[in-house]
Amino acid sequence: MTEPMPDSAPIDPADLPPRTFGAGPPSAFAPPTPWRRRLQIFGWIVAAGLAVLMILIAWLAVTAPLSRSLKPIAPPAISLMSADGHLIARRGSVIDRPVTMAELPDHVPQAFMAIEDRRFQSHWGVDPRGIARAMWHNLWSDGASQGGSTITQQLAKGVFLSSDRTFGRKAREALIAVWLEVWLTKNQIMERYLSNVYFGDNIYGLRAAARHYFNRSPERLTIPQAAMLAGLLKAPSRLAPTSNLKGARARAALVTQAMVDAGYITQAERNALPPARLDVHDEPDATSGTYFADWVLPQARDRAGAVYGEQEIATTLDWRIQRLAEAAIRRAPLGGAQAALVAMKPDGSVVAMVGGKNYARSSFNRAVQARRQPGSTFKLFVYLAAFRAGMMPDDMIDDIPITTGTYRPANHGGKYRGRITLRQAFAASSNVAAVRLTQKVGVDKVIKVARDLGVTAPLTQDLSLALGTSEIPLIELVEAYAAVAAGSYPVVAHGLPPEEQGWFEKLIQRQRHFSDDQLEMIRDLLSSAANRGTGSAAALRTSTFGKTGTTQDSRDAIFVGYAGGLVTAVWIGNDDNAPLPGGAAGGGVPARIWRNFMSGAINEPVEDMSDAEQDPDLVNAIANVAVETGIGNIGLGVDEGGMTVNIGPNQIRIPTDQPLPLPPQQDAPPPRIAPTQPEGEDSGP
């Protein structure tokens, strides 16, 4: 038993047990439970979101032209402007009376709803389900994108004077779509939509499209016809049946299947439908144009989309350079022949285009629409393939007649240089050397290079490919040479400034680069050809790179090259493919046109040379080359006093005031030396 301590004994505080107090003063309110706390935070977020939404709606109501959205839409018109602000062309449109829903067969609006907006009758202008579906499809698809815009949104976009893809414009579009749904009936919205949408071929509105493509009123459209018109809205210019009937019918088949999925027609009815047949009815177009305007207008209309009223579309064309191009063609001694010129920056921006001597007499664009043999300009791809295979400019190649096999091309005039370097073969545009290289690296490798550099035209699968016997558009040839100028490929010619791309598009469409060695070697060859070879008549004081081309019987003569940051090709020939008079060659008139144009375009004044100074034959005959043959060493040198020829221990001196012992070499094809040589072969430089 423990005795109690006396009352008087002092107590040491250290001996007392610790006493626990609360973290703060007692509260009259119970602490909130965790779920109640989360609910409060959620309420604050909702309140903040509603406040932001109200501010956004107020801003849109002030800035969006809501009152204009209920007014009739003005007819569309486009003014194409050069990069420096000059008017190139102004184009109106083909339109007709609006349509009335009560007069249309049910399958006409159903075709548009099935492919464009299947929930049109139930949504309030914006379809969240459709947007989510489109986002999911675009995320997991292989590149084919879907849009989430409703028909009402597409109509709403028509009140704006631009079709940019900013968030502000899309937000205004959504607000106007809801506004339209409040003030207009579904039938009124559909009537306005069908009466104003773009159908390609400069046709706006369903009535004008039905008359243009099928020569009938919209009230008499069949299901296949309505499906074809509805299918055009995805890409009106690209799918226009007047130029792409196969694509238009394939798209129409998707529309009719969508009509089945939407329950508008049965599968059996769809399977029994015949394809729509065209009965094109053209309206006369009184507007004036240019070759460049005709080329760029379809893309301008597609970019503008369903935007109505007057629009100004900026292009890449340079007004000053375009005038220089037209003047160079106009002053050239063409006789009855035609000519074409394309000039672009290394990124593909076309700054000048001439598709013929006189647009008023012929609007056929020979720079884009014509396919002609490129001749020896195609050798760019042959030598690039050789460099990819590991060869070098100083590697040797036999420039002697080909005596084996069934294909035996010839050099001009039967002139052969023995064993020479690839650089010398390219500068002199040796045909047999190009064929030997193609045989060595393989035709498929040459085609691969051409495809990499943007050539899409069909290419022959035989050795004649080396001499440019496959027909390609001039603009594709310029794209290929622009790739060399840029150091990367492919380069795509374009007449409108590129639109901003998303990261996914940039990833898919990114350019590839030449290796430094390959780029240096092919530029070395192009410089040699333009300054010391068959294209010397085009040489400028600025570093000049280029190549001549002349086809069988001088049916085509071409020079293509670049200098001063500009890539240009010049072609001359006859529309009926008849030979040019006098054996014209790429190193002659085309090279001179090129030089005269480029000197002004890059601001390098040059004096006109005499015919003798410009004659590429003289340059080829006295080119400073070293040649090795099986019968000894031959040296050929040139100085101001004349030409020296060393044959073994003997030396021959030819002063400049005496004629050369050899006939001049021309940039033109020789007679065929074997009956097996195919027609149309390029046998000139």
Side-chain angles (χ1 to χ4, degrees), residues 192-348:
R192 286 174 175 244
Y193 175 74
L194 294 178
S195 298
N196 293 281
V197 73
Y198 181 50
F199 287 96
D201 281 5
N202 199 26
I203 305 297
Y204 285 81
L206 182 64
R207 189 173 301 279
R211 177 174 173 79
H212 173 68
Y213 291 116
F214 306 115
N215 197 21
R216 62 173 57 197
S217 68
E219 292 80 12
R220 296 178 54 243
L221 287 172
T222 65
I223 293 179
Q225 292 169 342
M228 178 173 285
L229 293 178
L232 297 183
L233 303 188
K234 179 179 177 63
S237 295
R238 180 172 60 84
L239 294 174
T242 48
S243 58
N244 184 11
L245 182 58
K246 181 179 179 181
R249 283 179 170 171
R251 178 69 177 168
L254 293 178
V255 175
T256 53
Q257 187 59 51
M259 294 177 71
V260 173
D261 298 338
Y264 297 136
I265 59 175
T266 66
Q267 188 68 52
E269 289 174 330
R270 187 258 183 188
N271 294 340
L273 293 174
R277 299 183 62 180
L278 297 185
D279 184 6
V280 178
H281 179 81
D282 287 320
E283 293 287 347
D285 186 3
T287 59
S288 61
T290 65
Y291 294 109
F292 178 85
D294 290 349
W295 175 63
V296 80
L297 186 64
Q299 184 184 358
R301 290 200 185 281
D302 281 353
R303 180 173 295 187
V307 178
Y308 304 93
E310 180 71 21
Q311 296 182 80
E312 288 190 359
I313 304 294
T315 69
T316 60
L317 184 127
D318 187 294
W319 184 256
R320 181 186 72 87
I321 295 178
Q322 175 66 25
R323 293 179 65 187
L324 290 172
E326 293 171 356
I329 296 297
R330 187 170 56 249
R331 293 197 302 261
L334 297 174
Q338 281 288 350
L341 182 152
V342 178
M344 70 175 64
K345 296 178 181 178
D347 66 355

Side-chain angles (χ1 to χ4, degrees), residues 97-106 108 191 207 218-220:
R97 293 184 297 106
V99 296
T100 302
M101 283 287 289
E103 299 175 356
L104 294 176
D106 290 342
V108 172
E191 287 171 353
R207 189 173 301 279
E219 292 80 12
R220 296 178 54 243

Side-chain angles (χ1 to χ4, degrees), residues 48 81 119 159 168 210 242 308 357 396 420 441 503 552 603-604 621 638 667 680 684:
M81 312 298 294
R119 288 168 42 81
V159 303
T242 48
Y308 304 93
K357 291 193 301 184
M396 308 302 290
I420 59 177
V441 302
W503 66 269
Q552 182 71 28
N603 295 316
E604 180 185 296
V638 179
D667 184 31

Side-chain angles (χ1 to χ4, degrees), residues 65-403:
L66 296 178
S67 60
R68 196 193 332 164
S69 65
L70 300 179
K71 295 180 180 179
I73 298 175
I78 288 181
S79 295
L80 296 177
M81 312 298 294
S82 68
D84 47 353
H86 288 82
L87 177 65
I88 301 171
R90 180 178 285 113
R91 298 297 178 85
S93 57
V94 179
I95 58 176
D96 209 324
R97 293 184 297 106
V99 296
T100 302
M101 283 287 289
E103 299 175 356
L104 294 176
D106 290 342
H107 59 256
V108 172
Q110 287 171 353
F112 289 86
M113 288 188 290
I115 197 66
E116 291 292 320
D117 185 4
R118 201 170 298 176
R119 288 168 42 81
F120 172 72
Q121 296 291 351
S122 60
H123 64 64
W124 278 80
V126 179
D127 185 8
R129 186 187 303 179
I131 294 174
R133 183 182 64 252
M135 292 178 61
W136 180 263
H137 176 274
N138 296 341
L139 181 64
W140 297 105
S141 71
D142 57 356
S145 62
Q146 282 187 358
S149 295
T150 65
I151 284 177
T152 315
Q153 285 179 273
Q154 294 178 44
L155 176 62
K157 188 169 64 174
V159 303
F160 293 97
L161 297 180
S162 68
S163 59
D164 59 289
R165 300 181 180 180
T166 62
F167 171 78
R169 203 274 296 164
K170 293 295 290 184
R172 292 186 182 95
E173 175 187 299
L175 181 65
I176 294 176
V178 175
W179 182 274
L180 291 173
E181 291 279 351
V182 172
W183 289 99
L184 299 177
T185 67
K186 289 290 186 179
N187 280 353
Q188 289 174 323
I189 292 173
M190 180 61 75
E191 287 171 353
R192 286 174 175 244
Y193 175 74
L194 294 178
S195 298
N196 293 281
V197 73
Y198 181 50
F199 287 96
D201 281 5
N202 199 26
I203 305 297
Y204 285 81
L206 182 64
R207 189 173 301 279
R211 177 174 173 79
H212 173 68
Y213 291 116
F214 306 115
N215 197 21
R216 62 173 57 197
S217 68
E219 292 80 12
R220 296 178 54 243
L221 287 172
T222 65
I223 293 179
Q225 292 169 342
M228 178 173 285
L229 293 178
L232 297 183
L233 303 188
K234 179 179 177 63
S237 295
R238 180 172 60 84
L239 294 174
T242 48
S243 58
N244 184 11
L245 182 58
K246 181 179 179 181
R249 283 179 170 171
R251 178 69 177 168
L254 293 178
V255 175
T256 53
Q257 187 59 51
M259 294 177 71
V260 173
D261 298 338
Y264 297 136
I265 59 175
T266 66
Q267 188 68 52
E269 289 174 330
R270 187 258 183 188
N271 294 340
L273 293 174
R277 299 183 62 180
L278 297 185
D279 184 6
V280 178
H281 179 81
D282 287 320
E283 293 287 347
D285 186 3
T287 59
S288 61
T290 65
Y291 294 109
F292 178 85
D294 290 349
W295 175 63
V296 80
L297 186 64
Q299 184 184 358
R301 290 200 185 281
D302 281 353
R303 180 173 295 187
V307 178
Y308 304 93
E310 180 71 21
Q311 296 182 80
E312 288 190 359
I313 304 294
T315 69
T316 60
L317 184 127
D318 187 294
W319 184 256
R320 181 186 72 87
I321 295 178
Q322 175 66 25
R323 293 179 65 187
L324 290 172
E326 293 171 356
I329 296 297
R330 187 170 56 249
R331 293 197 302 261
L334 297 174
Q338 281 288 350
L341 182 152
V342 178
M344 70 175 64
K345 296 178 181 178
D347 66 355
S349 301
V350 175
V351 296
M353 177 180 290
V354 180
K357 291 193 301 184
N358 190 316
Y359 179 87
R361 294 182 180 178
S362 172
S363 61
F364 179 69
N365 193 339
R366 296 156 188 85
V368 176
Q369 296 172 283
R371 289 190 176 186
R372 305 294 293 243
Q373 293 184 355
S376 291
T377 60
F378 194 87
K379 291 174 183 175
L380 169 77
F381 309 114
V382 175
Y383 283 79
L384 267 174
F387 295 153
R388 283 186 176 182
M391 301 185 71
M392 308 284 286
D394 291 322
D395 288 347
M396 308 302 290
I397 190 77
D398 287 332
D399 184 30
I400 58 177
I402 296 176
T403 58

Side-chain angles (χ1 to χ4, degrees), residues 577-653:
N577 210 31
L580 293 164
V589 173
R592 299 173 201 172
I593 295 175
W594 191 93
R595 182 175 183 265
N596 293 336
F597 163 72
M598 288 289 290
S599 63
I602 66 175
N603 295 316
E604 180 185 296
V606 295
E607 298 179 359
D608 290 337
M609 295 187 297
S610 66
D611 289 343
E613 291 175 313
Q614 295 188 48
D615 189 356
D617 309 335
L618 179 63
V619 178
N620 292 333
I622 63 175
N624 185 12
V625 297
V627 183
E628 298 177 8
T629 68
I631 60 174
N633 294 327
I634 299 177
L636 181 64
V638 179
D639 54 34
E640 295 182 356
M643 180 172 64
T644 301
V645 181
N646 296 295
I647 306 177
N650 301 316
Q651 184 179 88
I652 301 175
R653 179 68 177 174

